[in-house]
Amino acid sequence: MSTASTTASTANPTRGRWGLVVAALLMQLSLGAVYAWSVFSSALQKAEAFKLTKPEATLPFEVAIGMIFIGTYLGGRIQDRRGPKTVAMIGAAIYGVGVIVASFARNGDQLPLLVIGYGVLAGFGLGLAYIVPIAMLQKWFPDRRGLITGLAVGGFGFGAVVTAPIAQALIRNNPDVPTSAFLPLGIAYLIAAVAGAFFFRNPPEGYTVPGYEPATSGKVVDSGRDYTQGEALKTWQWYSLTAILTLAVLAGIAFISQAAASFSDISGYTAAAAAAAVGFLGLFNGAGRIFWAAVSGRLGRMVTFILILAIEGVCILLIPHVHNAALFFVLAALVYLCYGGAFGTMPATAGDFFGVKNAGGIYGLMLIGWSLGGVVGPLIAAKLIGGDKDYTAAYTVIGIIALVAIILPIITRIPRTRQSADEGSLGTKGAAARR
């Protein structure tokens, strides 16, 4: 490196960090395509060669959501120690290969191959790669933690919006074997995600943003020290944040899993109109991740979670009683917005509470809430709705769960034990100022 470029880098250590945001978005758009599964679920139930039942057609997606946590747990720990690039590239490769493997399932008898490819391999690779840009960008943007994590996961939310129409077009080309669409999609995911991961890197040791000082008072407070994963797990706050994420996800995805049927059965949408509405609602899932993350930087993280859970709960309670098509869509859009908001806000919250040095491991483990909520929520909704289509019972229970969960952000406060002994009198003064 030339002396001039070295000097420029020293004078502006943040140079190039927005390019990393673009690379992260490229990867997350590819990974977020997993939420386009409903397109394949419908096709697999109709295709003559498959004729899967609804539970069978849901199985690959459910397995993928369950595997995500294993990937985020391992990926978070490894990238904190080894850096983001290698972990993200390996995760992206496994994800793309898993989708390609799914393309070789050609009939209903080969459902296990579909589960192994799309569920086990793609789900694990997705989790491995997903956590990396979130942790990496928090280290580069301590001054914009809420917004930047919103952008990092916002790309994931928009992935299905971009992928769904492409997947539908590919399926129309070969409706008898809808899994054939996985081959070009898997190759595209592989190329795009690996290309994004290629540019990933952590900031240099001692990196700081010129002029930025962590806040010790106000709406958003940084508590001042980097926890290890073990230290974080010894605090009650880690479990409280994980519970908040779990319950917000559970409530949102319980409705999302039944959204198309709810549009038709409750508000009278035609099947085609319901499908179009659900596809469009994916925009709110992505936008919510950015919107609520940005809001949390102004209102405070816990206030934001109170709003997310309150709006989510009230809307879900109202939905089974609303037969006006336009109002029904507004309520559904708010649920999607809040569902995405939980994912957008929690990474920054974990960074505030526990620091960003080990953010991959700490938040990666916290994403067990995604798997738990993502599996339990749809099961509760399906069980309560049942063959009688009792949406009132189902959504009343789900709505109450969200509203009761508001207790958690009300009582959760940032840890106040982050000043280490070797920081001396300056650290003691800073700790006192934060009390």
Side-chain angles (χ1 to χ4, degrees):
M1 183 183 290
S2 68
T3 303
S5 61
T6 302
T7 303
S9 178
T10 303
N12 182 17
T14 65
R15 185 178 183 184
R17 65 177 182 167
W18 285 102
L20 294 173
V21 176
V22 175
L25 288 173
L26 182 61
M27 167 175 275
Q28 294 288 54
L29 282 169
S30 302
L31 300 178
V34 71
Y35 273 135
W37 176 255
S38 61
V39 175
F40 293 97
S41 176
S42 177
L44 289 167
Q45 292 174 64
K46 296 175 183 176
E48 193 63 37
F50 287 87
K51 286 293 183 181
L52 299 184
T53 64
K54 191 167 187 176
E56 288 174 335
T58 305
L59 186 59
F61 178 73
E62 290 287 343
V63 172
I65 296 298
M67 289 297 298
I68 284 173
F69 164 65
I70 299 175
T72 57
Y73 171 68
L74 293 176
R77 287 178 63 87
I78 296 170
Q79 78 95 34
D80 282 337
R81 299 174 182 177
R82 302 290 184 181
K85 182 175 179 178
T86 301
V87 179
M89 292 185 76
I90 292 173
I94 294 173
Y95 172 68
V97 169
V99 175
I100 292 170
V101 168
S103 73
F104 295 108
R106 296 291 165 160
N107 56 60
D109 294 335
Q110 295 180 321
L111 176 60
L113 182 60
L114 189 57
V115 172
I116 291 171
Y118 197 94
V120 177
L121 289 176
F124 174 72
L126 190 162
L128 200 65
Y130 173 84
I131 189 63
V132 176
I134 298 172
M136 176 189 71
L137 290 178
Q138 285 194 79
K139 295 170 185 177
W140 280 100
F141 289 86
D143 54 326
R144 300 170 183 263
R145 193 173 292 159
L147 174 62
I148 213 65
T149 55
L151 288 172
V153 299
F156 187 89
F158 287 120
V161 178
V162 174
T163 301
I166 298 173
Q168 287 173 333
L170 290 170
I171 290 171
R172 281 196 297 268
N173 289 336
N174 191 0
D176 295 331
V177 188
T179 51
S180 62
F182 286 131
L183 182 59
L185 288 174
I187 293 171
Y189 300 157
L190 183 63
I191 293 172
V194 170
F198 179 79
F199 296 97
F200 285 7
R201 68 185 190 280
N202 277 332
E205 192 71 29
Y207 167 82
T208 57
V209 176
Y212 169 72
E213 291 291 337
T216 57
S217 63
K219 299 290 187 182
V220 177
V221 180
D222 187 294
S223 50
R225 173 186 151 242
D226 290 304
Y227 280 77
T228 65
Q229 187 183 77
E231 289 171 337
L233 291 173
K234 291 177 181 177
T235 68
W236 67 269
Q237 286 94 338
W238 185 91
Y239 297 93
S240 182
L241 294 182
T242 302
I244 291 170
L245 179 63
T246 302
L247 294 172
V249 169
L250 184 153
I253 205 167
F255 170 73
I256 291 170
S257 68
Q258 301 290 333
S262 298
F263 269 93
S264 299
D265 295 337
I266 298 173
S267 197
Y269 279 65
T270 64
V278 170
F280 187 72
L281 285 171
L283 291 170
F284 290 88
N285 180 7
R289 297 164 189 250
I290 301 170
F291 171 76
W292 285 112
V295 167
S296 74
R298 294 181 177 274
L299 298 183
R301 314 293 189 209
M302 293 302 104
V303 171
T304 299
F305 276 115
I306 290 170
L307 290 173
I308 286 173
L309 289 165
I311 294 170
E312 203 171 40
V314 169
C315 289
I316 291 173
L317 284 173
L318 291 175
I319 276 172
H321 308 289
V322 172
H323 305 293
N324 177 276
L327 180 56
F328 190 95
F329 182 87
V330 170
L331 293 175
L334 288 171
V335 173
Y336 273 74
L337 195 77
C338 292
Y339 172 76
F343 287 108
T345 306
M346 190 56 78
T349 307
D352 293 343
F353 276 53
F354 306 114
V356 299
K357 182 178 180 180
N358 301 301
I362 293 171
Y363 183 63
L365 188 57
M366 199 176 286
L367 283 173
I368 191 174
W370 185 3
S371 291
L372 287 174
V375 172
V376 174
L379 288 177
I380 292 175
K383 181 69 174 178
L384 292 176
I385 291 170
D388 295 333
K389 297 184 178 181
D390 193 351
Y391 290 99
T392 299
Y395 290 153
T396 298
V397 170
I398 297 297
I400 290 173
I401 288 173
L403 293 177
V404 170
I406 292 173
I407 295 171
L408 290 171
I410 289 176
I411 66 173
T412 303
R413 293 291 181 267
I414 199 164
R416 297 298 186 181
T417 58
R418 296 187 62 192
Q419 290 297 323
S420 60
D422 62 0
E423 286 178 301
S425 59
L426 180 60
T428 304
K429 292 176 182 177
R434 285 192 291 274
R435 289 192 185 104

